[in-house]
Amino acid sequence: MGFVKICGITTLADARVAIEAGADAVGFVLYPRSPRFVPPERVAALCEILRQEAPHVRRVGVFVNEPVERVRALLEALGLDWAQLHGDEPPEALKALEGRAYKVLRLRPGAPIDPEPYRGRLLDGPTLGVDAWAPDAYGGTGCPADWTLAAAWARIHRLLLGGGLTPETVAEAIGRVRPWGVDVSSGVEEAPGRKDPDRVRRFIATARAAWAAVGAPSAEGGMACSG
């Protein structure tokens, strides 16, 4: 019934709350300028514990403009399943990490972009992510993405929708965009890098209910019939 990623995880307690609430993936920000940055050695320790406790949950590293070689090395060294490329990486970077990464495109008003060169090749994950554009931040801004454009892309991509989602807005977002999955960070926080357990639980429960109402996402984008 749709894919839910809780991003910006910085502590084991927050990861456990997300997983117990039903998250399909947890994200760790490996961008040093982010207020949600987690040092690689700490990510490795968290991933080792989560691999034992919740092997079914995807562990995602969020990278911004890192060399492909470093991303590949950290995927292996830290025990990450996927890399989320969240900066200005070219399509060539995604291709070099084929099968291990997906690209998030930040939707800038008035600057159309062709998503097709950025289509990922994850077998069981998103083929594309979207977030809001901001001039001075790579994600975690709390600003909504362009839902109209995202809805068009969701018809042909396994789209992971991010950007300003909260427990109060995620049902409307799913109804309007019909994404394959949703991604939230600041919308379920008490403060940057600190999750609010109640908001995490409400976000996931609300998303599940919304997908139940509109129909589960199909394997290749768009929505399956709900019957």
Side-chain angles (χ1 to χ4, degrees), residues 138-226:
Y138 289 97
T141 64
C143 299
D146 182 335
W147 287 359
T148 300
L149 183 56
W153 290 0
R155 290 196 290 269
I156 55 175
H157 291 275
R158 293 200 304 269
L159 188 79
L160 186 63
L161 176 66
L165 298 179
T166 69
E168 294 76 28
T169 64
V170 68
E172 182 184 0
I174 289 171
R176 289 177 54 181
V177 177
R178 308 293 177 94
W180 174 87
V182 291
D183 190 355
V184 65
S185 182
S186 62
V188 293
E189 288 182 331
E190 297 174 350
R194 289 173 47 200
K195 299 307 183 207
D196 179 323
D198 179 64
R199 291 185 67 77
V200 170
R201 296 183 187 102
R202 286 198 293 118
F203 182 91
I204 295 174
T206 302
R208 300 290 184 213
W211 271 308
V214 302
S218 71
E220 294 302 327
M223 303 299 288
C225 292
S226 60

Side-chain angles (χ1 to χ4, degrees), residues 1-87:
M1 291 303 295
F3 189 93
V4 179
K5 173 173 167 277
I6 305 298
C7 201
I9 295 291
T10 63
T11 69
L12 180 59
D14 283 351
R16 284 170 168 163
V17 165
I19 291 166
E20 289 166 4
D24 300 290
V26 290
F28 305 100
V29 178
L30 288 154
Y31 177 49
R33 294 179 59 184
S34 169
R36 300 168 185 87
F37 170 69
V38 184
E41 60 273 16
R42 178 60 179 157
V43 174
L46 291 171
C47 285
E48 178 61 27
I49 295 169
L50 297 181
R51 183 168 46 246
Q52 299 298 321
E53 294 185 354
H56 62 288
V57 174
R58 295 297 188 177
R59 302 173 300 276
V60 184
V62 179
F63 298 89
V64 174
N65 299 331
E66 290 281 3
V68 167
E69 294 77 10
R70 177 168 167 78
V71 174
R72 187 181 290 117
L74 288 175
L75 281 171
E76 299 304 326
L78 307 187
L80 295 165
D81 294 301
W82 300 334
Q84 176 176 306
L85 305 183
H86 209 102

